[in-house]
């Protein structure tokens, strides 16, 4: 004799955790399971698809902060002929952008130190190198700085690049005062060899010397005799 399956018992605690939608879905599934003579199973866990959906719908604060930081640090791509100022410790190194993230700049023939370093101060020669900008930075910050555009008219870009490429791998005379890396790139872009870095240093030196001379003169000047 066929005996119907015993009625399904679901605790009140389970029912309280189910939303009305889950109750409707659960009831239909339970009815089908009862009709087929299967033992009903109620699954209260979130499916993998639901977990992935929830994870993508609300980005983590750390991820959002990282994207914001990357957007703030992004720099516009330099154009051929642009001057690149690189902020080294104690001085600025200069290069001229050519193409494909590569620049031309001055470096000592030893290739162990960049032009403008303490070592190059005692050298009167420098090698013109074609390098990747990333390799020249050495982790330092940089920016495009064509600051003399308001003073001098830049040469045509194709002329700048032509002159620059002709200098690659050549050994040139180097002088910290009148022939450093900034003189070099300004000459290529404007046809004018100039280094404001040196000019400012000499000006500050002259001011300091003037103060010293004034102090010395003041110290040796005769003082008026008072009664």
């Amino acid at each position: 004799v066929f005996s119907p399956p015993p009625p399904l018992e679901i605790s009140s605690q389970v029912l309280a955790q189910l939303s009305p939608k889950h109750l409707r879905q659960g009831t239909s599934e339970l009815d089908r399971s009862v009709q087929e003579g299967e033992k009903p199973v109620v699954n209260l866990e979130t499916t993998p698809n639901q977990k992935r959906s929830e994870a993508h719908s609300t980005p983590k604060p750390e991820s959002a902060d990282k994207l914001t930081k990357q957007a703030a640090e992004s720099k516009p791509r330099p154009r051929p002929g642009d001057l690149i100022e690189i902020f080294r410790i104690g001085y600025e190194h200069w290069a001229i952008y050519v193409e494909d993230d590569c620049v031309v700049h001055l470096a000592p023939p030893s290739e162990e130190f960049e032009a403008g370093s303490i070592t190059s101060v005692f050298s009167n020669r420098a090698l013109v190198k074609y390098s990747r900008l990333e390799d020249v930075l050495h982790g330092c910050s940089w920016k495009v700085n064509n600051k003399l555009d308001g003073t001098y008219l830049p040469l045509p870009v194709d002329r700048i690049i032509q002159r620059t490429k002709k200098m690659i791998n050549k050994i040139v005379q180097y002088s910290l005062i009148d022939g450093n890396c900034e003189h070099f790139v300004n000459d290529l872009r404007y046809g004018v060899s100039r280094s404001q870095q040196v000019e400012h240093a000499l000006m500050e030196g002259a001011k300091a010397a003037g103060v010293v001379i004034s102090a010395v003169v003041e110290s040796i000047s005769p003082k008026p005799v008072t009664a």
Side-chain angles (χ1 to χ4, degrees):
V1 179
F2 173 79
S3 59
L8 176 66
E9 295 182 1
I10 303 178
S11 66
S12 59
Q13 183 180 359
V14 172
L15 291 176
Q17 295 178 357
L18 297 176
S19 64
K21 181 178 179 181
H22 290 155
L23 287 174
R24 290 195 298 271
Q25 295 177 348
T27 303
S28 60
E29 292 175 358
L30 292 174
D31 292 341
R32 184 170 61 254
S33 299
V34 170
Q35 293 174 4
E36 296 175 356
E38 298 177 357
K39 185 178 179 179
V41 178
V42 179
N43 185 7
L44 300 180
E45 296 183 356
T46 306
T47 63
N49 290 335
Q50 289 174 327
K51 290 182 180 179
R52 285 195 295 268
S53 177
E54 292 175 357
H56 289 297
S57 61
T58 306
K60 295 181 179 180
E62 295 179 356
S63 299
D65 292 342
K66 185 176 180 180
L67 292 175
T68 303
K69 183 178 180 181
Q70 289 176 348
E73 293 178 348
S74 62
K75 291 183 174 65
R77 186 185 185 91
R79 296 170 298 181
D82 279 346
L83 302 187
I84 307 296
E85 184 178 12
I86 303 169
F87 300 95
R88 299 278 175 79
I89 298 176
Y91 70 100
E92 289 79 45
H93 185 54
W94 289 82
I96 184 166
Y97 187 85
V98 179
E99 60 195 355
D100 300 328
D101 296 328
C102 292
V103 297
V104 169
H105 65 115
L106 286 184
S110 64
E111 299 185 11
E112 295 178 0
F113 300 94
E114 298 295 337
S117 66
I118 297 300
T119 299
S120 63
V121 170
F122 302 101
S123 174
N124 61 356
R125 297 188 307 162
L127 176 67
V128 181
K129 294 184 63 177
Y130 179 88
S131 310
R132 290 185 58 82
L133 175 59
E134 180 181 0
D135 297 333
V136 180
L137 295 178
H138 299 305
C140 298
S141 60
W142 64 278
K143 70 176 182 178
V144 173
N145 192 355
N146 302 318
K147 60 183 178 181
L148 293 182
D149 280 10
T151 304
Y152 306 107
L153 181 66
L155 299 174
V157 175
D158 56 348
R159 176 65 175 155
I160 295 174
I161 300 303
Q162 181 183 27
R163 298 179 70 214
T164 300
K165 288 186 174 181
K166 283 184 178 180
M167 297 300 297
I168 296 174
N169 293 329
K170 287 187 177 182
I171 296 177
V172 299
Q173 291 295 314
Y174 178 84
S175 169
L176 182 64
I177 302 301
D178 57 13
N180 63 31
C181 56
E182 189 177 2
H183 289 103
F184 175 73
V185 296
N186 280 329
D187 182 53
L188 291 174
R189 181 173 175 84
Y190 306 106
V192 178
S193 179
R194 184 176 175 184
S195 172
Q196 290 184 316
Q197 187 174 192
V198 170
E199 293 170 4
H200 292 162
L202 293 177
M203 185 177 298
E204 292 300 320
K207 289 180 180 179
V211 171
V212 173
I213 292 174
S214 297
V216 171
V217 172
E218 179 67 19
S219 66
I220 63 176
S221 297
K223 302 295 187 295
V225 178
T226 58

